[in-house]
Amino acid sequence: MTTSIEVENVSKKFSMQYQRTLKQVAVAKLRGQRIKDSFWALQDVSFQVQQGEAIGLMGLNGSGKSTLLKHIMGVMRPTSGTVRTRGRISGLIATGAGFHPQMTGTENIYMNAAILGMTKEETDAKFDDIAGFADVGEFLDTPVGNYSSGMFARLGFSVAVNVDCDVFIADEVLAVGDQPFKKKCMKRMEQIRDSGVTLFYVSHAAQSVRRMCTRVIVLEKGVVGFDGDVDEGIHYLHYDDSEDVDAEEEQTTDGELGSEV
Ligand SMILES: Nc1ncnc2c1ncn2[C@@H]1O[C@H](COP(=O)(O)OP(=O)(O)O)[C@@H](O)[C@H]1O
Ligand SMILES: [Mg+2]
């Protein structure tokens, strides 16, 4: 087995700034008020992932999931610790990130593909697949500034799944998509997983994590609270509780998605 990702004692410190302008900072200083605080978004996070594992990264909002994925994608550096990855990484962390509002869908496809490491020739060859998967119709030639969040997700996801990669990251990107698109994406991610690509899947929908993943990592306030079996991880989070407030939504989401669950 080959190691795909190695995260070793990673910690990340962020600062929170309470004032936005220099004037506000000056006034706050004169009044003896606090200017900024810092906090640890990730604390001593360590784990290893073998090539081909499918990780369900779970945890409450603000627990550090996206921050951790940004470190794996290489767009953020840890305050301390190391992250090592093997091969090309594709995926989506925030829908709409990396898109330029004044450029058209087509132009943004080229730009995003380039950011994910594709050459123009590669993108040319895959353009029809990408546009077909996004399925935004004639909106492809209009500025993406007018797109809905669902349309952003379609475009971003379509580029990401068409990049030949070794690691694929999907961070809550399907939450805004409509049912047919979600279904299509889940199917595509299963194909990607089955071809031996390492998968990181962030979702609050327990059923889809069960369907997609072979292992669950739970983050709690920046600390790894659980790392192991999928069902145990979901149980650890109490996401398998049928009286959960999300149960109703989850049923509608996963009734279609998790047909074989
Ligand atoms: N660039 C940043 N600067 C300051 N704080 C940040 C930054 N990015 C994220 N945070 C904070 O770090 C914490 C973890 O955020 P995030 O990783 O996005 O959580 P999750 O994806 O699990 O919901 C949150 O409290 C968030 O407000
Ligand atoms: Mg997040």
mmCIF file of all heavy atoms in Angstrom, residues 26-64:
data_model
loop_
_atom_site.group_PDB
_atom_site.id
_atom_site.type_symbol
_atom_site.label_atom_id
_atom_site.label_comp_id
_atom_site.label_asym_id
_atom_site.label_seq_id
_atom_site.Cartn_x
_atom_site.Cartn_y
_atom_site.Cartn_z
ATOM 1 N N ALA A 26 -7.485 52.534 16.204
ATOM 2 C CA ALA A 26 -6.908 53.604 17.024
ATOM 3 C C ALA A 26 -7.826 53.931 18.200
ATOM 4 O O ALA A 26 -7.372 54.045 19.347
ATOM 5 C CB ALA A 26 -6.675 54.838 16.152
ATOM 6 N N VAL A 27 -9.116 54.063 17.913
ATOM 7 C CA VAL A 27 -10.082 54.398 18.967
ATOM 8 C C VAL A 27 -10.112 53.287 20.018
ATOM 9 O O VAL A 27 -10.082 53.555 21.226
ATOM 10 C CB VAL A 27 -11.500 54.609 18.353
ATOM 11 C CG1 VAL A 27 -12.545 54.719 19.442
ATOM 12 C CG2 VAL A 27 -11.505 55.843 17.467
ATOM 13 N N ALA A 28 -10.122 52.042 19.549
ATOM 14 C CA ALA A 28 -10.173 50.907 20.469
ATOM 15 C C ALA A 28 -8.930 50.877 21.359
ATOM 16 O O ALA A 28 -9.012 50.608 22.554
ATOM 17 C CB ALA A 28 -10.300 49.603 19.681
ATOM 18 N N LYS A 29 -7.770 51.204 20.755
ATOM 19 C CA LYS A 29 -6.522 51.201 21.521
ATOM 20 C C LYS A 29 -6.567 52.258 22.619
ATOM 21 O O LYS A 29 -6.180 52.014 23.755
ATOM 22 C CB LYS A 29 -5.332 51.463 20.586
ATOM 23 C CG LYS A 29 -4.744 50.172 20.027
ATOM 24 C CD LYS A 29 -3.362 50.382 19.459
ATOM 25 C CE LYS A 29 -2.775 49.058 19.035
ATOM 26 N NZ LYS A 29 -1.670 49.195 18.107
ATOM 27 N N LEU A 30 -7.064 53.471 22.233
ATOM 28 C CA LEU A 30 -7.160 54.558 23.204
ATOM 29 C C LEU A 30 -8.093 54.179 24.349
ATOM 30 O O LEU A 30 -7.878 54.570 25.496
ATOM 31 C CB LEU A 30 -7.666 55.832 22.518
ATOM 32 C CG LEU A 30 -6.632 56.547 21.642
ATOM 33 C CD1 LEU A 30 -7.273 57.688 20.864
ATOM 34 C CD2 LEU A 30 -5.487 57.071 22.507
ATOM 35 N N ARG A 31 -9.123 53.456 24.006
ATOM 36 C CA ARG A 31 -10.093 53.054 25.041
ATOM 37 C C ARG A 31 -9.642 51.810 25.809
ATOM 38 O O ARG A 31 -10.339 51.356 26.701
ATOM 39 C CB ARG A 31 -11.450 52.734 24.390
ATOM 40 C CG ARG A 31 -12.173 53.974 23.916
ATOM 41 C CD ARG A 31 -13.533 53.578 23.407
ATOM 42 N NE ARG A 31 -14.262 54.732 22.917
ATOM 43 C CZ ARG A 31 -15.223 54.669 22.016
ATOM 44 N NH1 ARG A 31 -15.562 53.499 21.496
ATOM 45 N NH2 ARG A 31 -15.855 55.754 21.637
ATOM 46 N N GLY A 32 -8.508 51.281 25.403
ATOM 47 C CA GLY A 32 -7.992 50.098 26.075
ATOM 48 C C GLY A 32 -8.771 48.835 25.760
ATOM 49 O O GLY A 32 -8.765 47.875 26.538
ATOM 50 N N GLN A 33 -9.481 48.849 24.602
ATOM 51 C CA GLN A 33 -10.237 47.645 24.235
ATOM 52 C C GLN A 33 -9.342 46.649 23.497
ATOM 53 O O GLN A 33 -8.277 47.008 23.010
ATOM 54 C CB GLN A 33 -11.412 48.027 23.317
ATOM 55 C CG GLN A 33 -12.473 48.821 24.037
ATOM 56 C CD GLN A 33 -13.491 49.401 23.064
ATOM 57 O OE1 GLN A 33 -13.219 49.562 21.882
ATOM 58 N NE2 GLN A 33 -14.664 49.737 23.588
ATOM 59 N N ARG A 34 -9.831 45.432 23.405
ATOM 60 C CA ARG A 34 -9.056 44.401 22.716
ATOM 61 C C ARG A 34 -9.055 44.638 21.210
ATOM 62 O O ARG A 34 -10.076 44.957 20.616
ATOM 63 C CB ARG A 34 -9.642 43.024 22.998
ATOM 64 C CG ARG A 34 -8.857 42.341 24.106
ATOM 65 C CD ARG A 34 -9.333 40.945 24.265
ATOM 66 N NE ARG A 34 -10.789 40.913 24.393
ATOM 67 C CZ ARG A 34 -11.476 39.823 24.626
ATOM 68 N NH1 ARG A 34 -10.856 38.683 24.722
ATOM 69 N NH2 ARG A 34 -12.789 39.843 24.742
ATOM 70 N N ILE A 35 -7.900 44.495 20.588
ATOM 71 C CA ILE A 35 -7.784 44.685 19.143
ATOM 72 C C ILE A 35 -8.012 43.368 18.420
ATOM 73 O O ILE A 35 -8.735 43.285 17.456
ATOM 74 C CB ILE A 35 -6.381 45.232 18.765
ATOM 75 C CG1 ILE A 35 -6.058 46.462 19.584
ATOM 76 C CG2 ILE A 35 -6.288 45.514 17.272
ATOM 77 C CD1 ILE A 35 -6.935 47.658 19.329
ATOM 78 N N LYS A 36 -7.331 42.341 18.902
ATOM 79 C CA LYS A 36 -7.549 41.037 18.281
ATOM 80 C C LYS A 36 -7.264 39.896 19.246
ATOM 81 O O LYS A 36 -6.580 40.061 20.243
ATOM 82 C CB LYS A 36 -6.732 40.892 17.008
ATOM 83 C CG LYS A 36 -5.248 41.001 17.168
ATOM 84 C CD LYS A 36 -4.622 40.795 15.795
ATOM 85 C CE LYS A 36 -3.132 41.082 15.833
ATOM 86 N NZ LYS A 36 -2.520 41.008 14.530
ATOM 87 N N ASP A 37 -7.839 38.769 18.912
ATOM 88 C CA ASP A 37 -7.628 37.545 19.673
ATOM 89 C C ASP A 37 -7.121 36.490 18.714
ATOM 90 O O ASP A 37 -7.362 36.583 17.515
ATOM 91 C CB ASP A 37 -8.952 37.041 20.238
ATOM 92 C CG ASP A 37 -9.206 37.590 21.614
ATOM 93 O OD1 ASP A 37 -8.226 37.857 22.327
ATOM 94 O OD2 ASP A 37 -10.387 37.764 21.963
ATOM 95 N N SER A 38 -6.469 35.499 19.234
ATOM 96 C CA SER A 38 -6.126 34.396 18.342
ATOM 97 C C SER A 38 -6.708 33.111 18.905
ATOM 98 O O SER A 38 -6.977 33.010 20.101
ATOM 99 C CB SER A 38 -4.611 34.292 18.176
ATOM 100 O OG SER A 38 -4.022 34.093 19.430
ATOM 101 N N PHE A 39 -6.941 32.165 18.018
ATOM 102 C CA PHE A 39 -7.444 30.867 18.466
ATOM 103 C C PHE A 39 -6.910 29.784 17.541
ATOM 104 O O PHE A 39 -6.469 30.056 16.428
ATOM 105 C CB PHE A 39 -8.978 30.860 18.510
ATOM 106 C CG PHE A 39 -9.611 30.777 17.162
ATOM 107 C CD1 PHE A 39 -10.104 29.566 16.682
ATOM 108 C CD2 PHE A 39 -9.701 31.900 16.358
ATOM 109 C CE1 PHE A 39 -10.688 29.487 15.431
ATOM 110 C CE2 PHE A 39 -10.270 31.827 15.113
ATOM 111 C CZ PHE A 39 -10.772 30.621 14.643
ATOM 112 N N TRP A 40 -6.955 28.555 18.036
ATOM 113 C CA TRP A 40 -6.427 27.430 17.261
ATOM 114 C C TRP A 40 -7.569 26.749 16.516
ATOM 115 O O TRP A 40 -8.454 26.180 17.134
ATOM 116 C CB TRP A 40 -5.706 26.441 18.179
ATOM 117 C CG TRP A 40 -4.473 27.028 18.775
ATOM 118 C CD1 TRP A 40 -4.363 27.678 19.973
ATOM 119 C CD2 TRP A 40 -3.173 27.054 18.193
ATOM 120 N NE1 TRP A 40 -3.072 28.109 20.170
ATOM 121 C CE2 TRP A 40 -2.321 27.734 19.091
ATOM 122 C CE3 TRP A 40 -2.626 26.571 16.986
ATOM 123 C CZ2 TRP A 40 -0.969 27.939 18.829
ATOM 124 C CZ3 TRP A 40 -1.282 26.779 16.735
ATOM 125 C CH2 TRP A 40 -0.460 27.457 17.642
ATOM 126 N N ALA A 41 -7.543 26.835 15.190
ATOM 127 C CA ALA A 41 -8.572 26.172 14.378
ATOM 128 C C ALA A 41 -8.262 24.688 14.225
ATOM 129 O O ALA A 41 -9.165 23.877 14.022
ATOM 130 C CB ALA A 41 -8.665 26.838 13.011
ATOM 131 N N LEU A 42 -6.972 24.330 14.299
ATOM 132 C CA LEU A 42 -6.560 22.919 14.289
ATOM 133 C C LEU A 42 -5.513 22.752 15.387
ATOM 134 O O LEU A 42 -4.659 23.620 15.568
ATOM 135 C CB LEU A 42 -5.934 22.528 12.946
ATOM 136 C CG LEU A 42 -6.842 22.520 11.710
ATOM 137 C CD1 LEU A 42 -6.014 22.257 10.453
ATOM 138 C CD2 LEU A 42 -7.958 21.488 11.829
ATOM 139 N N GLN A 43 -5.620 21.660 16.130
ATOM 140 C CA GLN A 43 -4.671 21.444 17.209
ATOM 141 C C GLN A 43 -4.118 20.041 17.173
ATOM 142 O O GLN A 43 -4.840 19.075 17.408
ATOM 143 C CB GLN A 43 -5.383 21.645 18.543
ATOM 144 C CG GLN A 43 -5.397 23.084 18.993
ATOM 145 C CD GLN A 43 -6.034 23.187 20.367
ATOM 146 O OE1 GLN A 43 -5.394 22.913 21.369
ATOM 147 N NE2 GLN A 43 -7.292 23.568 20.398
ATOM 148 N N ASP A 44 -2.831 19.943 16.847
ATOM 149 C CA ASP A 44 -2.118 18.683 16.915
ATOM 150 C C ASP A 44 -2.852 17.549 16.187
ATOM 151 O O ASP A 44 -3.061 16.470 16.736
ATOM 152 C CB ASP A 44 -1.902 18.314 18.393
ATOM 153 C CG ASP A 44 -0.721 17.364 18.557
ATOM 154 O OD1 ASP A 44 0.148 17.352 17.663
ATOM 155 O OD2 ASP A 44 -0.686 16.634 19.553
ATOM 156 N N VAL A 45 -3.251 17.830 14.951
ATOM 157 C CA VAL A 45 -3.979 16.840 14.152
ATOM 158 C C VAL A 45 -2.989 15.910 13.446
ATOM 159 O O VAL A 45 -2.082 16.381 12.762
ATOM 160 C CB VAL A 45 -4.877 17.544 13.105
ATOM 161 C CG1 VAL A 45 -5.508 16.526 12.153
ATOM 162 C CG2 VAL A 45 -5.965 18.356 13.799
ATOM 163 N N SER A 46 -3.156 14.627 13.654
ATOM 164 C CA SER A 46 -2.286 13.635 13.001
ATOM 165 C C SER A 46 -3.102 12.466 12.471
ATOM 166 O O SER A 46 -3.981 11.967 13.165
ATOM 167 C CB SER A 46 -1.255 13.060 13.988
ATOM 168 O OG SER A 46 -0.392 14.061 14.452
ATOM 169 N N PHE A 47 -2.847 12.075 11.251
ATOM 170 C CA PHE A 47 -3.392 10.828 10.707
ATOM 171 C C PHE A 47 -2.706 10.522 9.387
ATOM 172 O O PHE A 47 -2.070 11.399 8.794
ATOM 173 C CB PHE A 47 -4.924 10.905 10.511
ATOM 174 C CG PHE A 47 -5.387 12.012 9.598
ATOM 175 C CD1 PHE A 47 -5.438 11.828 8.224
ATOM 176 C CD2 PHE A 47 -5.773 13.243 10.121
ATOM 177 C CE1 PHE A 47 -5.869 12.845 7.384
ATOM 178 C CE2 PHE A 47 -6.196 14.268 9.289
ATOM 179 C CZ PHE A 47 -6.250 14.071 7.918
ATOM 180 N N GLN A 48 -2.833 9.269 8.953
ATOM 181 C CA GLN A 48 -2.282 8.859 7.660
ATOM 182 C C GLN A 48 -3.394 8.277 6.826
ATOM 183 O O GLN A 48 -4.283 7.622 7.359
ATOM 184 C CB GLN A 48 -1.234 7.762 7.878
ATOM 185 C CG GLN A 48 0.120 8.292 8.236
ATOM 186 C CD GLN A 48 1.197 7.250 8.000
ATOM 187 O OE1 GLN A 48 0.935 6.169 7.492
ATOM 188 N NE2 GLN A 48 2.421 7.601 8.359
ATOM 189 N N VAL A 49 -3.357 8.514 5.535
ATOM 190 C CA VAL A 49 -4.359 7.951 4.645
ATOM 191 C C VAL A 49 -3.638 7.163 3.565
ATOM 192 O O VAL A 49 -2.685 7.661 2.950
ATOM 193 C CB VAL A 49 -5.200 9.084 4.002
ATOM 194 C CG1 VAL A 49 -6.210 8.507 3.027
ATOM 195 C CG2 VAL A 49 -5.909 9.897 5.068
ATOM 196 N N GLN A 50 -4.086 5.927 3.332
ATOM 197 C CA GLN A 50 -3.497 5.107 2.269
ATOM 198 C C GLN A 50 -4.195 5.430 0.954
ATOM 199 O O GLN A 50 -5.364 5.804 0.936
ATOM 200 C CB GLN A 50 -3.660 3.618 2.588
ATOM 201 C CG GLN A 50 -3.049 3.186 3.902
ATOM 202 C CD GLN A 50 -1.557 3.469 3.985
ATOM 203 O OE1 GLN A 50 -0.820 3.236 3.023
ATOM 204 N NE2 GLN A 50 -1.103 4.003 5.109
ATOM 205 N N GLN A 51 -3.444 5.273 -0.155
ATOM 206 C CA GLN A 51 -4.030 5.501 -1.473
ATOM 207 C C GLN A 51 -5.299 4.662 -1.645
ATOM 208 O O GLN A 51 -5.310 3.474 -1.357
ATOM 209 C CB GLN A 51 -3.015 5.150 -2.559
ATOM 210 C CG GLN A 51 -3.476 5.464 -3.977
ATOM 211 C CD GLN A 51 -3.626 6.957 -4.217
ATOM 212 O OE1 GLN A 51 -2.782 7.734 -3.793
ATOM 213 N NE2 GLN A 51 -4.705 7.371 -4.872
ATOM 214 N N GLY A 52 -6.395 5.305 -2.062
ATOM 215 C CA GLY A 52 -7.626 4.571 -2.322
ATOM 216 C C GLY A 52 -8.612 4.549 -1.171
ATOM 217 O O GLY A 52 -9.738 4.098 -1.334
ATOM 218 N N GLU A 53 -8.198 5.066 -0.002
ATOM 219 C CA GLU A 53 -9.161 5.136 1.104
ATOM 220 C C GLU A 53 -10.183 6.228 0.822
ATOM 221 O O GLU A 53 -9.885 7.228 0.165
ATOM 222 C CB GLU A 53 -8.429 5.459 2.417
ATOM 223 C CG GLU A 53 -7.853 4.254 3.114
ATOM 224 C CD GLU A 53 -7.460 4.579 4.559
ATOM 225 O OE1 GLU A 53 -6.352 5.110 4.745
ATOM 226 O OE2 GLU A 53 -8.244 4.312 5.476
ATOM 227 N N ALA A 54 -11.410 6.031 1.337
ATOM 228 C CA ALA A 54 -12.450 7.056 1.186
ATOM 229 C C ALA A 54 -12.831 7.551 2.576
ATOM 230 O O ALA A 54 -13.461 6.840 3.350
ATOM 231 C CB ALA A 54 -13.651 6.464 0.473
ATOM 232 N N ILE A 55 -12.388 8.784 2.871
ATOM 233 C CA ILE A 55 -12.552 9.321 4.223
ATOM 234 C C ILE A 55 -13.779 10.224 4.284
ATOM 235 O O ILE A 55 -13.915 11.159 3.502
ATOM 236 C CB ILE A 55 -11.326 10.177 4.622
ATOM 237 C CG1 ILE A 55 -10.016 9.454 4.316
ATOM 238 C CG2 ILE A 55 -11.426 10.618 6.086
ATOM 239 C CD1 ILE A 55 -9.657 8.365 5.240
ATOM 240 N N GLY A 56 -14.652 9.963 5.234
ATOM 241 C CA GLY A 56 -15.744 10.886 5.535
ATOM 242 C C GLY A 56 -15.256 11.811 6.622
ATOM 243 O O GLY A 56 -14.996 11.383 7.745
ATOM 244 N N LEU A 57 -15.050 13.090 6.279
ATOM 245 C CA LEU A 57 -14.574 14.044 7.277
ATOM 246 C C LEU A 57 -15.796 14.731 7.873
ATOM 247 O O LEU A 57 -16.541 15.413 7.169
ATOM 248 C CB LEU A 57 -13.632 15.058 6.613
ATOM 249 C CG LEU A 57 -12.974 16.091 7.516
ATOM 250 C CD1 LEU A 57 -12.159 15.447 8.623
ATOM 251 C CD2 LEU A 57 -12.094 17.036 6.698
ATOM 252 N N MET A 58 -16.023 14.511 9.148
ATOM 253 C CA MET A 58 -17.253 15.013 9.763
ATOM 254 C C MET A 58 -16.951 15.884 10.975
ATOM 255 O O MET A 58 -15.824 15.942 11.458
ATOM 256 C CB MET A 58 -18.158 13.838 10.152
ATOM 257 C CG MET A 58 -18.499 12.935 8.965
ATOM 258 S SD MET A 58 -19.595 11.566 9.374
ATOM 259 C CE MET A 58 -21.190 12.380 9.342
ATOM 260 N N GLY A 59 -17.994 16.547 11.454
ATOM 261 C CA GLY A 59 -17.838 17.438 12.608
ATOM 262 C C GLY A 59 -18.763 18.614 12.455
ATOM 263 O O GLY A 59 -19.220 18.920 11.347
ATOM 264 N N LEU A 60 -19.035 19.288 13.572
ATOM 265 C CA LEU A 60 -19.978 20.400 13.541
ATOM 266 C C LEU A 60 -19.402 21.579 12.748
ATOM 267 O O LEU A 60 -18.212 21.608 12.439
ATOM 268 C CB LEU A 60 -20.283 20.840 14.977
ATOM 269 C CG LEU A 60 -20.796 19.730 15.903
ATOM 270 C CD1 LEU A 60 -21.071 20.290 17.303
ATOM 271 C CD2 LEU A 60 -22.058 19.085 15.341
ATOM 272 N N ASN A 61 -20.234 22.541 12.426
ATOM 273 C CA ASN A 61 -19.766 23.749 11.727
ATOM 274 C C ASN A 61 -18.676 24.406 12.571
ATOM 275 O O ASN A 61 -18.803 24.523 13.781
ATOM 276 C CB ASN A 61 -20.907 24.781 11.566
ATOM 277 C CG ASN A 61 -22.025 24.275 10.678
ATOM 278 O OD1 ASN A 61 -23.196 24.484 10.967
ATOM 279 N ND2 ASN A 61 -21.689 23.599 9.595
ATOM 280 N N GLY A 62 -17.627 24.817 11.915
ATOM 281 C CA GLY A 62 -16.553 25.521 12.618
ATOM 282 C C GLY A 62 -15.566 24.595 13.313
ATOM 283 O O GLY A 62 -14.693 25.050 14.049
ATOM 284 N N SER A 63 -15.680 23.295 13.090
ATOM 285 C CA SER A 63 -14.790 22.363 13.793
ATOM 286 C C SER A 63 -13.419 22.253 13.117
ATOM 287 O O SER A 63 -12.511 21.626 13.658
ATOM 288 C CB SER A 63 -15.444 20.980 13.903
ATOM 289 O OG SER A 63 -15.814 20.498 12.632
ATOM 290 N N GLY A 64 -13.272 22.856 11.921
ATOM 291 C CA GLY A 64 -11.956 22.891 11.275
ATOM 292 C C GLY A 64 -11.833 22.035 10.025
ATOM 293 O O GLY A 64 -10.732 21.867 9.493
#
